[in-house]
Amino acid sequence: TLVGNLTGRISLMTDPAPDGRQRIDGVLTLTTADGPVEIRLAGYATATDGTYAMSGVFRATTDLPLVDSGSFSGSFGSSLRLSLND
C-alpha cells in the first residue's frame, strides 16, 4: 500500500466498442514521501448508475522498488478505486 497525493487524468472515449465498453486511457501521478510514481493506464470501462467499472493494463515509472507493469481493475465516479496487479 502506498500513501500520497494523486493527480492526473483518465480519459473516456465517446464511441463505445461493439460490446458496449468504452476505451479509457490515463496518466496518474502518485506523490509519496519516498518519491513519485507515474502510472499509465489503458483499458475499457462500463457504466452503471454513474460509476464506471474499469480494467486493463498499466505501466509504472518510478525509482521505488515496485512492479513496473501488469493489469489493473477498479472504478471511478465520485471517487477513484484502483488495484494494480503484477
Side-chain angles (χ1 to χ4, degrees), residues 30-79:
L30 179 64
T31 304
T32 73
D34 297 319
V37 180
E38 182 181 86
I39 304 166
R40 295 186 173 275
L41 306 174
Y44 289 93
T46 55
T48 304
D49 297 328
T51 298
Y52 289 87
M54 61 181 179
S55 62
V57 295
F58 78 91
R59 194 169 285 287
T61 305
T62 184
D63 290 332
L64 301 177
L66 301 172
V67 64
D68 63 354
S69 64
S71 62
F72 75 88
S73 61
S75 62
F76 66 95
S78 60
S79 63

Side-chain angles (χ1 to χ4, degrees), residues 10-41:
I10 296 176
S11 298
L12 190 62
M13 304 303 170
T14 56
D15 294 327
D19 62 2
R21 299 180 303 162
Q22 290 180 275
R23 177 105 170 103
I24 62 168
D25 68 81
V27 178
L28 305 173
T29 300
L30 179 64
T31 304
T32 73
D34 297 319
V37 180
E38 182 181 86
I39 304 166
R40 295 186 173 275
L41 306 174

